[in-house]
Amino acid sequence: MQIPVKTHARTQMIDITSQVRRVVEDSKIQNGLVHVCSLHTTGAITINENADPAVETDILKTLNKVIPWDDHFKHMEGNSAAHIKVSLVGPSELIPLENGSLILGTWQGIFFCEFDGPRNRRVNVKIMADLC
Ligand code: ZN
């Protein structure tokens, strides 16, 4: 199952937890693992605090400082900063599913991280059900 994600800025974190939960509910699978994967080389997936939006701002501010957009990169497309950020943050997360609920901490949410937007993105959600 794929979740569409529309981004509105070059760098942005979008909370997709509720969309992932909806896919899980629709599947009727109760126990297993949920793999959430970005289908892009310039968009990542991470799990972090979704209570205070300042956390997203601080993460993006730090990534943008450490990996500036223009640092005399060689990649012809001109978006090497985005590719590097995806390799650091990672393209996917794996979340336990127990009794129909994602096992996340109280303050944890699943985010799509846009690093070369704005764009229309897709996130793949694969549920692997327990065998017993
Ligand atoms: Zn590129």
Side-chain angles (χ1 to χ4, degrees):
M1 180 75 184
Q2 292 185 2
I3 297 170
V5 180
K6 188 172 180 58
T7 65
H8 304 282
R10 176 179 281 173
T11 58
Q12 184 180 9
M13 290 173 68
I14 296 180
D15 188 344
I16 59 169
T17 311
S18 61
Q19 291 96 317
V20 174
R21 284 202 169 105
R22 196 167 308 127
V23 171
V24 170
E25 286 168 15
D26 290 349
S27 77
K28 310 292 185 201
I29 296 170
Q30 292 293 300
N31 295 286
L33 291 169
V34 180
H35 187 243
V36 180
C37 186
S38 166
L39 299 178
H40 307 278
T41 60
T42 55
I45 301 292
T46 194
I47 293 174
N48 215 306
E49 178 175 331
N50 66 354
D52 180 3
V55 173
E56 301 163 36
T57 305
D58 291 346
I59 290 171
L60 292 175
K61 175 186 171 186
T62 302
L63 284 171
N64 289 335
K65 185 165 62 179
V66 173
I67 308 156
W69 184 257
D70 185 5
D71 197 17
H72 308 289
F73 297 117
K74 293 186 175 178
H75 177 43
M76 294 293 284
E77 197 183 7
N79 61 354
S80 276
H83 292 298
I84 293 165
K85 287 172 187 171
V86 168
S87 277
L88 289 176
V89 174
S92 66
E93 292 284 359
L94 194 59
I95 302 142
L97 173 66
E98 289 183 17
N99 300 318
S101 295
L102 294 174
I103 302 303
L104 290 168
T106 304
W107 309 110
Q108 285 183 317
I110 307 161
F111 290 87
F112 179 82
C113 304
E114 175 63 78
F115 294 132
D116 188 17
R119 295 184 192 228
N120 291 312
R121 302 297 204 169
R122 291 174 299 135
V123 172
N124 197 72
V125 178
K126 181 76 173 179
I127 305 168
M128 294 155 278
D130 284 353
L131 294 177
C132 52

